Amino acid sequence: MTELEFITKTKALIDDLKSVCANYGLGNDASEFNIITQVFLYKYLNDKFIYEAKKIDKDLAQADDFQKAYEAMPEEKRKFLHGRIGNKAAKLTPEQLITYLFNNSNSDNFAETYFDGTLLNISTENVSLYSVKSTTGVKDKMFDNISQFIRDSSQRDAFCRALINKLVNVSFERMFSEKYDFFATIFEYLIKDYNSDSGGKYAEYYTPHAVAHIMAAILVNETDISNATVYDPSAGSGTLLMNIAHAIGEKNCTIYSEDISQKSANMLRLNLILNSLSHSIPNIIKGNTILQPSYIKEKFQYIVSNPPFKLDFSDYREDLAKDSFKERFFAGIPNVPNTKKESMAIYLLFIQHIMYSLAPNGKAAVVVPTGFITAQSGIERKIREALVERGWLRGVVSMPSNIFASTGTNVSILFIDKKANSDKVVLVDASKLGETVKDGKNQRTKLTDAEERRIIDAMNKKQAIEDFSVVVKKAQIVEKNYSFSAGQYFGLKIEYVDITAKEFRSKMECFEDRLNALFKEGEKLDKEIIKQLKGVIYE
């Protein structure tokens, strides 16, 4: 199965699930997103369990009917199978498989007893493997009572039956051996209908794949990394975390994340499962990173973040101004504006939090509004000055406009490295790259693979390329008032062309002839103006 075939197959399943929701009055309903993601997760867990079970037990692998063979398996042998599977998949009983639900879909009270009951049992029995916890330590459940989203109780059995009918004839087993990284495409497809300003604003949780890939490729430019810790304090769906984990190697790193959104925590869980990172699910925290960080004592080797730029945090702004926060927020805390509290620059707190959370050999990549890199005063200037004076600035890439389909804000990527070379800071101006494409109602800039590679090479190889990148020293940055904009370091270019003495005389004669002609034309115009003035009379 090729990647394209698998993506097509998965999109078709998502469309089928959307169709079921629409047929039962839930099309574009707030619950539709939850239903589709949870049913998709159940399908994935089902197929992953079957895949792992077949690898271990040859009788199951060779059986014409997996369901019957699994039901016939002695209890002791089944326990042994679960032990062999370990943390590679959810441990499902025969009664929890999709085929069992399908075979019993005409039973009385199917929705509550069979469908919802099965999903809730899976959630409870696998809580240690797949549950997300909050800052208070409470673990959430994987699944809701999905049938309860249908208000008319007489339709619940039929609704759940329709969902099972869409799942039973589709198999993702082959995908697990193909090892394709399909999730970014699937995720973007899944959320495209939920990027509205009302309800779940999922655009804020999705970072374009090009940005994520560039950040990971620049951060991870060495080999043989092991036992790495990777952190995102505003993780969203985890696109940045997935890209850096792939660059390091899923088995060579442990993911840590925080985000205040329940939706993003659930989506990140799904992302981790789909990307062979289930071992990091216990490290997903749903909470307020700025006010109550769960990992305040930990220091991380790699940090990636696309934090919210503007957000109203006026309710706890005064708490952050206390002495206990001053070490972390060394450059200060944005004030509460008289109007538009939602414009408070919370990203400045995230940058300071990231600097505080880096290990002695730590590296970070942070998406920032491009205005941050040139602001002449305030918290922005203090942070930039600290990065330069501490010798932590590795470089900056200024991205093209509209690289994010959901916002017109120009963005740059700030690269921090505690072991950076202060005499070789790389500043890249990629603002002119990419092509504009239509993305729904919005215009979006897309980078080609070659353009991505050009940015990555300029940073990693410390290349100075005319009108694109510069390599500067600390002293030069200080001289430019700590500006991180590549354009301010591009030199003024004067082009010189070698010509002969004869060519020079010829050019000068042409200039003289042209000037004499212009002078004569000017004299004629002067005489005409005087003539016209003499003809003006008073009435």
Side-chain angles (χ1 to χ4, degrees):
M1 181 184 294
T2 66
E3 182 176 12
L4 179 59
E5 287 173 333
F6 179 74
I7 290 172
T8 301
K9 194 174 186 179
T10 307
K11 286 181 177 180
L13 176 58
I14 293 172
D15 286 339
D16 284 345
L17 296 176
K18 284 185 177 183
S19 177
V20 172
C21 290
N23 290 338
Y24 286 85
L26 297 177
N28 296 320
D29 187 84
S31 60
E32 183 186 32
F33 180 86
N34 289 329
I35 293 169
I36 292 173
T37 53
Q38 290 182 47
V39 171
F40 187 83
L41 175 58
Y42 173 45
K43 173 62 178 171
Y44 186 94
L45 296 179
N46 177 92
D47 289 9
K48 185 68 159 64
F49 171 78
I50 294 173
Y51 171 78
E52 296 294 343
K54 286 181 177 179
K55 281 177 28 179
I56 294 169
D57 192 292
K58 65 179 182 180
D59 292 334
L60 291 177
Q62 296 171 0
D64 293 331
D65 188 326
F66 182 92
Q67 182 67 43
K68 286 184 178 180
Y70 189 38
E71 288 178 0
M73 181 180 283
E75 183 66 25
E76 286 302 314
K77 190 175 180 181
R78 193 182 301 158
K79 289 181 179 178
F80 177 75
L81 175 67
H82 287 179
R84 290 282 304 278
I85 289 175
N87 292 336
K88 295 178 182 177
K91 299 173 179 63
L92 305 184
T93 65
E95 297 78 19
Q96 293 170 340
L97 297 180
I98 288 173
T99 47
Y100 182 86
L101 295 188
F102 176 76
N103 293 339
N104 291 275
S105 59
N106 290 321
S107 301
D108 293 338
N109 204 22
F110 172 72
E112 183 177 349
T113 303
Y114 287 88
F115 191 87
D116 285 342
T118 294
L119 297 187
L120 293 178
N121 286 337
I122 292 173
S123 179
T124 301
E125 293 164 12
N126 294 276
V127 63
S128 62
L129 186 59
Y130 293 125
S131 284
V132 174
K133 64 183 178 182
S134 66
T135 50
T136 60
V138 177
K139 292 189 174 183
D140 73 341
K141 59 183 185 295
M142 294 167 64
F143 301 106
D144 296 311
N145 286 303
I146 290 178
S147 69
Q148 302 302 305
F149 289 119
I150 302 293
R151 294 184 180 180
D152 185 348
S153 59
S154 67
Q155 290 189 316
R156 289 173 182 167
D157 285 351
F159 174 67
C160 292
R161 190 179 301 119
L163 292 175
I164 285 295
N165 287 341
K166 297 299 183 184
L167 300 181
V168 72
N169 292 320
V170 180
S171 175
F172 293 146
E173 285 182 55
R174 287 184 60 191
M175 180 277 297
F176 302 113
S177 59
E178 299 283 353
K179 297 186 182 300
Y180 281 120
D181 181 15
F182 64 90
F183 187 77
T185 302
I186 298 307
F187 178 70
E188 187 171 13
Y189 182 76
L190 182 62
I191 67 169
K192 64 183 175 64
D193 292 335
Y194 306 96
N195 280 345
S196 61
D197 289 333
S198 58
K201 294 191 292 184
Y202 248 82
E204 64 188 273
Y205 301 128
Y206 181 72
T207 304
H209 184 68
V211 175
H213 177 246
I214 289 168
M215 291 169 71
I218 291 173
L219 275 185
V220 186
N221 62 341
E222 65 266 37
T223 57
D224 298 327
I225 301 173
S226 60
N227 300 318
T229 54
V230 183
Y231 173 56
D232 188 337
S234 56
S237 68
T239 301
L240 295 178
L241 289 170
M242 297 309 104
N243 273 266
I244 191 170
H246 292 322
I248 296 171
E250 294 85 352
K251 294 181 180 179
N252 300 325
C253 65
T254 303
I255 299 296
Y256 296 83
S257 74
E258 296 182 88
D259 200 290
I260 201 167
S261 166
Q262 179 67 51
K263 276 186 178 179
S264 67
N266 287 336
M267 195 49 115
L268 176 54
R269 168 172 51 198
L270 176 58
N271 211 346
L272 289 171
I273 293 171
L274 295 180
N275 284 278
S276 303
L277 288 159
S278 297
H279 61 275
S280 292
I281 289 177
N283 304 326
I284 303 174
I285 302 295
K286 182 180 73 67
N288 188 327
T289 305
I290 298 302
L291 183 62
Q292 297 175 312
S294 294
Y295 295 117
I296 191 64
K297 295 181 180 180
E298 284 81 359
K299 302 296 181 182
F300 300 97
Q301 290 168 269
Y302 296 94
I303 302 179
V304 288
S305 183
N306 175 19
F309 291 170
K310 307 288 185 180
L311 195 71
D312 178 8
F313 60 94
S314 58
D315 288 346
Y316 57 90
R317 194 265 174 203
E318 293 309 310
D319 291 328
L320 300 178
K322 294 178 181 177
D323 289 343
S324 57
F325 288 91
K326 284 188 177 179
E327 182 181 1
R328 188 159 54 121
F329 301 126
F330 67 91
I333 301 165
N335 292 320
V336 181
N338 294 326
T339 59
K340 297 186 69 174
K341 292 182 181 179
E342 67 275 10
S343 67
M344 296 178 71
I346 195 170
Y347 81 95
L348 296 173
L349 300 181
F350 275 99
I351 297 175
Q352 295 177 80
H353 173 76
I354 288 166
M355 293 171 67
Y356 180 85
S357 301
L358 278 173
N361 62 339
K363 301 178 181 181
V366 192
V367 179
V368 298
T370 293
F372 166 81
I373 68 176
T374 56
Q376 294 298 299
S377 59
I379 298 173
E380 296 92 334
R381 160 65 189 257
K382 290 180 181 178
I383 293 174
R384 297 202 316 272
E385 185 174 344
L387 287 171
V388 173
E389 296 302 329
R390 295 179 189 181
W392 292 8
L393 179 64
R394 180 181 173 189
V396 173
V397 176
S398 297
M399 299 297 289
S401 59
N402 297 320
I403 196 74
F404 287 78
S406 56
T407 176
T409 303
N410 289 339
V411 303
S412 295
I413 307 173
L414 172 68
F415 290 93
I416 304 170
D417 185 344
K418 281 196 172 184
K419 300 292 185 180
N421 185 338
S422 295
D423 286 336
K424 288 189 176 182
V425 176
V426 184
L427 306 177
V428 178
D429 181 3
S431 61
K432 298 179 180 66
L433 299 186
E435 62 174 347
T436 301
V437 297
K438 190 77 172 175
D439 188 353
K441 296 179 181 178
N442 301 313
Q443 296 287 334
R444 182 174 178 179
T445 302
K446 292 195 70 173
L447 296 174
T448 65
D449 292 343
E451 288 173 327
E452 287 184 30
R453 175 48 54 190
R454 187 183 181 196
I455 294 169
I456 294 165
D457 285 346
M459 184 65 70
N460 287 344
K461 296 179 181 179
K462 300 186 183 300
Q463 296 174 335
I465 302 170
E466 187 175 346
D467 289 336
F468 182 70
S469 61
V470 292
V471 181
V472 296
K473 297 182 179 181
K474 173 182 174 180
Q476 292 174 278
I477 299 175
V478 174
E479 185 180 329
K480 292 286 187 180
N481 199 26
Y482 296 94
S483 171
F484 294 173
S485 173
Q488 294 193 18
Y489 298 85
F490 292 154
L492 177 64
K493 298 188 297 294
I494 302 176
E495 295 185 2
Y496 295 91
V497 180
D498 290 332
I499 59 175
T500 66
K502 182 178 180 181
E503 289 173 331
F504 176 76
R505 287 194 299 272
S506 177
K507 284 182 176 292
M508 292 303 295
E509 289 173 359
C510 288
F511 291 150
E512 289 177 12
D513 291 342
R514 179 62 178 155
L515 282 172
N516 288 329
L518 290 173
F519 290 152
K520 289 179 180 179
E521 183 68 22
E523 289 176 4
K524 287 175 62 177
L525 289 173
D526 289 342
K527 291 178 180 179
E528 183 63 28
I529 292 170
I530 292 171
K531 180 180 177 182
Q532 294 295 331
L533 285 173
K534 289 181 177 180
V536 176
I537 60 175
Y538 175 77
E539 293 184 0

